[in-house]
Every structure is written in C-alpha cells, then in structure tokens.
Amino acid sequence: MNLKNCLSAHFDRRLLTAWLVLFAVSLTPFAPVQAQQDLSPTADATAAQFAALVAQFPAAGYRQKEKLVAQVLKLNPPGGRALLNALLDNRLYARKRDGAVFMVERAEDGPWSLSAAVTGLPAGTAEAGELSRIRTNNRLRKALKGALAQLDLNDPDPAVRETAVAEMLRTPDAVTISALRARSAVETHRRVRQRIDTGLAVADLASADAGTRLAAVQRLEGELSSEIHGRLKSMAEADAQGQFSEPDPQVRLAAARVAASIELWRDLYSGVETLFFGLSLGSVLVLAAIGLAITFGVMGVINMAHGELIMLGAYTAYVMQLLLPDNTAAALLLSIPAAFVVAGLAGIAIERGIVRFLYGRPLETLLATFGLSLILQQTVRSIFSPLNRSVATPEFMSGSWVINDALSLTLNRLYIIAFALIVFALLMLVLKRTSLGLKVRAVAQNRSMARALGVRADWVDAATFGLGAGIAGVAGVALSQLTNVGPNLGQAYIIDSFMVVVFGGVGNLWGTLIGGMSLGVINKLLEPVSGAVLAKILVLVFLILYIQRRPGGMFPQRGRAAEGH
C-alpha cells in the first residue's frame, strides 16, 4: 500500500469516528426532554379532561358545580376562563336533545348564536326553546368570582391583578390565602404586592397564634382603610359585657396604638378633602362672580339678570351636546367659546337696549334687570320646557383621583378649580395687557377724563358688559358639570355672586378671587357642624358684620377709582 492509500484509509477512519461521536452527542440532550414530555400531560389530554368536566355541568347540582369549577381552575385549560365567565353571566346553556354545552349570545329576535363550550369556536345557532340554561345560585356565583380572580392573578396588566386581589379578599378561604401567598412571592408591581400583603395581614388577624396576630397588627400600621381601622378598633375595645374579642393584652395594646394612628391620619385627610370641596365651591363662586365684578365694579350697574346669563351658558353646553351626541369631550370644549359668544352678545344687547338709558339710577336698573331675568327664564321654559336637563360629563372628567384609602378627589371638581384659575388669569391678562383693558380701567377711574382723552365711553361700556356677560356664560358651562341645567339655575348663584364681589372689594378682581375661595372654604367647614342651610345663614351674618367694619371689603378701591362708588 502506497502512502496515498494509507493516508486515505486513516482519514476515512477518523471521519467515521467523528461522525459517530457527533451522532451520540446529538442524541444525549434530547433523551431527558423526551422522557419529560412522556411524563407531562399533552394538550390533547388536557382538552379531553376539560371536555369531560364540561359535559358534567348540565346534570350537576349546585355543590357539584362548585367542585367542577374548582377542577376547571386547577386544570386551567385554554378555554376555562371563557367557560367560567359564561356561567357567571348566565350564558352557559345545554342543548335539550343531546346535552351538548354551549356559550350563547342572546338575540331579542331570531335564533341565538352558539359557541362550543370547550373550544370557543362558533357552533351555529339555535332557538331559545331548544336550550336549557345551566343555573347558578349566590354561593356558586361567589365561587365563580373567586375562581376568575385567581385566574386574573397571572394577568400581565397590574390593574387586573389588583382587582383580582380585592375580589379574592372579599371572601378569603384557605385556597385563596394560599394562592395570594404564592403570588406575593413573585409579584413585581409595588402596589399589587402591597395590596396582597395587606390582605394577608388582615387574614392573619384571625390566626390562633398570638404572635401571628401581633405581627399582622404591626404590618397594618400605616394603612388607612376604614375596614382595617374598624377591625383593629374592635380588637382593642371591650364589648357591652366588658369582654375583649382579643385575648392577648399585648396584641390589644398594639391594635389600639395602630387604630389611633389610623384615626389621626384619616381625620387629617378628611380635613384636606373638606378644604378641596371648599376650594371647588369657591371656584364656582369665583366663576359666577367674576363677570359681575367687572360690570358692577367698573360700571356701577346692579345686574339682576347676571344669573340668567350663567343659565344661558349652561344651556349652550346642553345644545352643543345635542349637536355632538357621540363626542361629549368635543361638545364640552366647543361649548366654552360658544357660551362666551352667546352670553356676551346677550350682555351687549342688554346694555345697548336697557342699561345705557338707566346709568346713574341704580334702583331703576335693578328693577329693569330683575324684570329681564324673569323674561329670560320664561323664554327658556318655552324653548326647553321647565324640566331640568343634564349635560354628560366627558370620560376624562369622570371618576376620582384616588390618592390613598382615606383621600380621593373628584376629577370634575379638580378640572373646575383649574378652569377657574385659567379664566381668572386670562381676564387679568386682557385687562392689564390689552387696549381694551386700558380703556376699561380709564373709564372705571375717571369717565369724564377718559372721554376728554378720546376714549369712546359708550363703546367701552358695551364691551365691558359683554365681557362680563361672556364670562358668566363660561361659568354656566362649568356649572353644567356639577348640577342639572334648568331655568332657575342662575337664581341659586346671583346672591352668592354679589356677596363675593362685596366681600372681596367692589371692582377688585383679586378680591373676587380671594373672597370667593374664602367663602367657599368657610361654607364647607361649617356644613359638617351646622348643616348646609344654617352654614349659608352663618356666612351671610359673618359677611354683614364684616361689611359693617370694612365697608370697602377686603380690598377697597382707592384714589379716583373709589370716588365713583
């Protein structure tokens, strides 16, 4: 054999050996996996077990259905959640002729749509008489809610998991507590984990071990829930017979300390909430009074139809909602400039048609505008009927901003506070930075001198009255989000508006802002003590006494501006 043949034979043997080694290595990692697959249930086996469980529902009693729900939860098949939801919503039916189980979509007219209970695939239609509903009772529905909540514990959305925790803690049992403890160990979202730990601590308050109860009480320190406060307080206090529900004195002492801390923080947050409601009421008063402050302060006109201008703005928001029924947010936003224009034009018409003939005669102006208010109310009754109308709140203004268990702020009132401040800032900008504002201030301080300098006082009066009326209309849009719209809407705010203007100082916009906010807060602070009606009376008495001491209000006009008032 020559050298070439020897090398070729040697190379062939080495190549064959390498291929054998690679083949053996390639088989090695798949062996345990194949064995593991053989030991685990296949998807077909899971589907078969699920189908067998579903087939038992039509003939099962309520207790047996609870056991079937627990088995579905343990098996956790792909269609399990849809099945439990359908059973909870009374949409799970069995066909009478063969007992097949379907999830249905009911129709008022015509056959019902069917979906297979196991796979969820469409399964044709059937008449209502061909089906029999699989019934539930309160106990079974409670079990279904708990089972669905346990399924939701693994949902990727933290909000869904948090809702599931709250649902499971409504009726905690050994199964749900065990599931929550397991979830707490792997939960990554801070708020959800806090909810779980709090719920487990509350459950541990019923433990037979005093050490566990003491640890649970200590874990609940800093919580603000009223339920937790009540639970700890009942542990710390004796009943009517002098008996303690908590036998261990150390646990009772800890419960009393934590309950007192919770009560202190809840009182503090209650004060913050009262302050918030006072500011929201004050912002409404500011919006209602700021237009009056312009006309009354600058022109010296007592406009008793100011409340009806607010009403016109509210009805403008209602009409915009009728024009855009499918988009409440756009309707509300567009109603703000629309209400300003509608009420502003009405104000200009009032000034040109009535008020300009009565300058210098305040009593006659009061009577004329009062009569006009009655005419406007009756006109609205004739057009829209005397019934109250509601203006829908957009989604972005609905609900509350939940800060903690003791403090939540309604979004519509938050928006109204911000809106009042924005309107105030824009009005100040107009009066301080525009030609109209300069002329308004000139006429307010010295009408004769302004005329001598070429200012058209008649035009300024009309523009000022229109500006104040337009802001009143904008206030009506804000009020439509807090109360129903009706012909008497403005009557509820006209007196309060005058009170704010007089209290803050006639013609002073900063006084109107501070006065409106102050009266709103004072009113809300008095209401829990004296009641709503007596609180208004007390505020009125306080205002009368204050004006007796300071006739010019908090910010009285000075110099030439005070000479005309």
Coordinates of all heavy atoms in Angstrom, one line a residue, residues 89-126:
D89 N -72.2 34.8 33.9 CA -73.1 35.8 33.2 C -74.4 35.1 32.7 O -75.2 35.7 32.0 CB -72.4 36.4 32.0 CG -71.2 37.2 32.4 OD1 -71.2 37.6 33.6 OD2 -70.3 37.4 31.6
N90 N -74.7 33.9 33.2 CA -75.9 33.1 32.8 C -75.9 33.0 31.2 O -77.0 33.1 30.6 CB -77.1 33.9 33.3 CG -77.2 33.8 34.8 OD1 -76.9 32.8 35.4 ND2 -77.7 34.9 35.4
R91 N -74.8 32.7 30.6 CA -74.8 32.5 29.2 C -74.4 31.1 28.8 O -74.0 30.8 27.6 CB -73.8 33.5 28.5 CG -74.2 34.9 28.6 CD -73.3 35.8 27.8 NE -71.9 35.8 28.3 CZ -70.9 35.2 27.7 NH1 -71.1 34.5 26.6 NH2 -69.7 35.3 28.3
L92 N -74.3 30.2 29.8 CA -74.0 28.8 29.5 C -75.2 28.0 29.5 O -76.0 27.9 30.4 CB -73.0 28.3 30.6 CG -72.3 27.0 30.3 CD1 -71.3 27.2 29.2 CD2 -71.5 26.5 31.6
Y93 N -75.4 27.3 28.3 CA -76.7 26.5 28.1 C -76.3 25.1 27.6 O -75.2 24.9 27.1 CB -77.5 27.2 27.0 CG -78.3 28.4 27.5 CD1 -77.6 29.6 27.7 CD2 -79.6 28.4 27.7 CE1 -78.3 30.7 28.2 CE2 -80.4 29.5 28.1 CZ -79.7 30.7 28.4 OH -80.4 31.8 28.8
A94 N -77.3 24.2 27.8 CA -77.2 22.9 27.3 C -78.3 22.6 26.3 O -79.4 23.0 26.5 CB -77.3 21.9 28.5
R95 N -78.0 21.9 25.2 CA -79.0 21.6 24.2 C -79.8 20.5 24.7 O -79.3 19.4 25.2 CB -78.3 21.3 22.9 CG -79.3 21.3 21.7 CD -78.6 21.5 20.4 NE -77.4 20.5 20.2 CZ -76.5 20.7 19.3 NH1 -76.5 21.7 18.5 NH2 -75.5 19.8 19.2
K96 N -81.1 20.6 24.6 CA -82.0 19.6 25.2 C -81.9 18.2 24.6 O -82.0 17.2 25.3 CB -83.4 20.1 25.2 CG -83.7 21.4 26.0 CD -85.1 21.9 25.9 CE -85.4 23.1 26.7 NZ -86.7 23.6 26.6
R97 N -81.7 18.2 23.3 CA -81.8 16.9 22.6 C -80.6 16.0 22.9 O -80.7 14.8 22.9 CB -82.0 17.1 21.1 CG -80.9 17.6 20.4 CD -81.1 17.5 18.8 NE -80.0 17.8 18.0 CZ -79.8 19.0 17.6 NH1 -80.6 20.0 17.8 NH2 -78.7 19.3 16.8
D98 N -79.4 16.6 23.1 CA -78.2 15.8 23.3 C -77.3 16.2 24.4 O -76.3 15.5 24.7 CB -77.4 15.8 22.0 CG -77.0 17.2 21.6 OD1 -77.2 18.1 22.3 OD2 -76.4 17.3 20.5
G99 N -77.7 17.2 25.2 CA -76.9 17.7 26.4 C -75.6 18.4 26.0 O -74.8 18.6 27.0
A100 N -75.4 18.7 24.8 CA -74.2 19.5 24.4 C -74.2 20.9 25.1 O -75.2 21.5 25.1 CB -74.0 19.6 22.9
V101 N -73.1 21.3 25.5 CA -73.0 22.6 26.3 C -72.4 23.6 25.3 O -71.4 23.4 24.6 CB -72.1 22.4 27.5 CG1 -72.0 23.7 28.3 CG2 -72.6 21.3 28.4
F102 N -73.1 24.8 25.4 CA -72.6 25.9 24.5 C -72.7 27.2 25.3 O -73.4 27.4 26.3 CB -73.6 26.1 23.3 CG -73.7 24.9 22.4 CD1 -74.7 24.0 22.6 CD2 -72.7 24.7 21.5 CE1 -74.8 22.9 21.8 CE2 -72.8 23.6 20.6 CZ -73.8 22.7 20.8
M103 N -71.8 28.2 24.9 CA -71.9 29.6 25.3 C -72.7 30.3 24.3 O -72.5 30.1 23.1 CB -70.5 30.2 25.5 CG -69.6 29.5 26.5 SD -67.9 30.1 26.6 CE -67.2 29.5 25.1
V104 N -73.7 31.1 24.7 CA -74.6 31.7 23.8 C -74.5 33.2 23.8 O -74.1 33.8 24.8 CB -76.1 31.2 24.1 CG1 -76.2 29.7 24.2 CG2 -76.6 31.9 25.4
E105 N -74.9 33.8 22.7 CA -75.1 35.2 22.6 C -76.6 35.4 22.3 O -77.0 35.1 21.2 CB -74.3 35.9 21.6 CG -72.8 35.9 21.9 CD -72.5 36.7 23.1 OE1 -73.2 37.7 23.4 OE2 -71.5 36.5 23.8
R106 N -77.4 36.0 23.3 CA -78.8 36.0 23.1 C -79.2 37.1 22.0 O -78.5 38.1 21.9 CB -79.5 36.3 24.4 CG -79.2 35.3 25.5 CD -79.9 35.7 26.8 NE -79.5 34.9 27.9 CZ -78.5 35.3 28.7 NH1 -77.9 36.4 28.5 NH2 -78.2 34.5 29.7
A107 N -80.3 36.9 21.4 CA -80.9 37.9 20.4 C -82.3 38.0 20.8 O -83.0 37.1 21.1 CB -80.7 37.4 19.0
E108 N -82.8 39.3 20.7 CA -84.2 39.5 21.0 C -85.1 38.9 20.0 O -86.2 38.3 20.3 CB -84.5 41.0 21.1 CG -83.8 41.7 22.3 CD -84.1 43.2 22.4 OE1 -84.9 43.6 21.6 OE2 -83.5 43.8 23.3
D109 N -84.7 39.0 18.7 CA -85.5 38.4 17.6 C -84.6 37.4 16.9 O -83.4 37.8 16.5 CB -86.0 39.5 16.7 CG -86.9 40.5 17.4 OD1 -87.7 40.0 18.2 OD2 -86.8 41.7 17.1
G110 N -85.1 36.3 16.6 CA -84.3 35.3 15.9 C -83.5 34.3 16.7 O -83.6 34.4 18.0
P111 N -82.8 33.4 16.1 CA -82.1 32.4 16.9 C -80.9 33.0 17.6 O -80.4 34.1 17.3 CB -81.6 31.4 15.8 CG -81.6 32.2 14.5 CD -82.7 33.2 14.7
W112 N -80.4 32.2 18.6 CA -79.2 32.6 19.4 C -78.0 32.1 18.8 O -78.0 30.9 18.2 CB -79.4 32.2 20.8 CG -80.5 32.8 21.6 CD1 -81.3 33.8 21.1 CD2 -80.9 32.5 22.9 NE1 -82.2 34.1 22.1 CE2 -82.0 33.4 23.2 CE3 -80.4 31.6 23.9 CZ2 -82.6 33.4 24.5 CZ3 -81.1 31.6 25.1 CH2 -82.2 32.5 25.4
S113 N -76.9 32.8 18.9 CA -75.6 32.4 18.3 C -74.9 31.4 19.4 O -74.9 31.8 20.6 CB -74.7 33.5 18.0 OG -75.3 34.4 17.1
L114 N -74.4 30.3 18.9 CA -73.7 29.4 19.8 C -72.2 29.3 19.6 O -71.8 29.5 18.5 CB -74.3 28.0 19.5 CG -75.8 27.8 19.6 CD1 -76.2 26.4 19.4 CD2 -76.4 28.3 21.0
S115 N -71.5 29.0 20.7 CA -70.1 28.8 20.6 C -69.8 27.5 21.5 O -70.4 27.4 22.6 CB -69.3 30.0 21.2 OG -69.5 31.1 20.4
A116 N -69.0 26.7 21.0 CA -68.6 25.4 21.7 C -68.0 25.8 23.0 O -67.1 26.6 23.1 CB -67.7 24.6 20.9
A117 N -68.5 25.2 24.1 CA -68.0 25.5 25.5 C -66.6 25.1 25.7 O -65.9 25.8 26.4 CB -68.9 24.8 26.5
V118 N -66.1 24.1 25.0 CA -64.7 23.6 25.2 C -63.7 24.4 24.3 O -62.7 24.9 24.8 CB -64.6 22.1 24.8 CG1 -63.2 21.6 25.0 CG2 -65.5 21.3 25.8
T119 N -64.0 24.6 23.1 CA -63.1 25.3 22.2 C -63.4 26.7 22.0 O -62.5 27.5 21.6 CB -63.1 24.6 20.8 OG1 -64.4 24.7 20.2 CG2 -62.8 23.1 20.9
G120 N -64.6 27.2 22.2 CA -65.0 28.5 22.0 C -65.2 28.9 20.5 O -65.5 30.0 20.2
L121 N -65.2 27.9 19.6 CA -65.4 28.1 18.2 C -66.9 28.2 17.9 O -67.8 27.6 18.6 CB -64.8 26.9 17.4 CG -63.3 26.7 17.5 CD1 -62.9 25.5 16.8 CD2 -62.6 27.9 17.0
P122 N -67.3 29.0 16.9 CA -68.7 29.1 16.5 C -69.3 27.7 16.2 O -68.7 26.9 15.6 CB -68.7 30.0 15.2 CG -67.4 30.7 15.3 CD -66.4 29.8 16.0
A123 N -70.6 27.5 16.7 CA -71.2 26.3 16.6 C -72.7 26.4 16.0 O -73.6 25.7 16.4 CB -71.3 25.5 17.9
G124 N -72.9 27.4 15.2 CA -74.2 27.6 14.6 C -75.1 28.4 15.5 O -74.7 29.2 16.3
T125 N -76.4 28.2 15.3 CA -77.4 28.9 16.0 C -78.5 27.9 16.5 O -78.5 26.8 16.1 CB -78.1 30.0 15.1 OG1 -78.7 29.3 14.0 CG2 -77.1 31.0 14.7
A126 N -79.3 28.4 17.4 CA -80.4 27.6 17.9 C -81.5 28.5 18.5 O -81.2 29.6 18.9 CB -79.9 26.6 19.1

